[in-house]
Amino acid sequence: TDIVRTIFIQPGPAGLGPYVNNRYTVMTMEDSVTDTIGTTFYVPADFASFGSVKAVLTTGVSSGNMYWDMDANWAAVGVSREDGTETGTVGTTTFSGTKLFHVIEPSDAMALSGLAAGDYVGITCSRQAGHANDTVNAAVDFHGLLFTYTANQ
């Protein structure tokens, strides 16, 4: 029987450097600028099909819209080019309530068509905090990604 699995992927350094915000290691997307944070990971050997990829974020505000997107590239070892690429459409996601963690998908959810076990994947999250549609008006801490997939059993 197949089983759904979720793995947590920490952000990789992208010139911003991780830091600890009292309790958690994060990378910060500052207010009023465009920040891009990325990560690279290996697709597990038991991968059968893609489910979703979501960002795990915290912010000190209780409401507002974050204007952002997610992009991905992937390839198998030994190929001379990328096997797949996906460019998200920038859109808004609403923060509401005083949650410690916000687990959100971009407004243009990823499909990652053609992704396979053994591929290496690079995913970037870009926040355009200076855009009029970004109304969070505060820094957003990026903890990482939740990658959900169906596994062969």
Side-chain angles (χ1 to χ4, degrees):
T1 304
D2 291 341
I3 186 169
V4 174
R5 294 193 175 161
T6 300
I7 55 176
F8 178 75
I9 302 153
Q10 290 185 297
L16 302 174
Y19 82 98
V20 177
N21 72 346
N22 294 331
R23 297 180 201 97
Y24 308 101
T25 301
V26 299
M27 295 181 87
T28 299
M29 295 180 188
E30 298 294 342
D31 191 31
S32 301
V33 297
T34 297
D35 272 334
T36 300
I37 296 174
T39 189
T40 301
F41 64 96
Y42 179 78
V43 178
D46 64 354
F47 175 89
S49 63
F50 173 71
S52 67
V53 63
K54 297 177 182 178
V56 180
L57 310 168
T58 55
T59 185
V61 299
S62 60
S63 65
N65 292 325
M66 187 171 85
Y67 193 63
W68 71 299
D69 73 334
M70 220 182 260
D71 298 327
N73 297 284
W74 61 93
V77 171
V79 299
S80 60
R81 58 169 178 73
E82 293 170 337
D83 288 337
T85 186
E86 186 170 334
T87 303
T89 302
V90 181
T92 57
T93 301
T94 301
F95 287 107
S96 60
T98 53
K99 302 172 191 171
L100 177 58
F101 294 104
H102 297 269
V103 178
I104 61 174
E105 268 189 299
S107 59
D108 180 19
M110 304 201 95
L112 302 185
S113 299
L115 188 67
D119 284 351
Y120 286 91
V121 182
I123 295 180
T124 58
C125 295
S126 297
R127 176 186 178 204
Q128 297 179 18
H131 194 279
N133 288 344
D134 190 295
T135 59
V136 173
N137 297 323
V140 174
D141 288 337
F142 180 87
H143 294 264
L145 299 173
L146 291 177
F147 177 78
T148 301
Y149 67 100
T150 301
N152 288 317
Q153 292 295 296

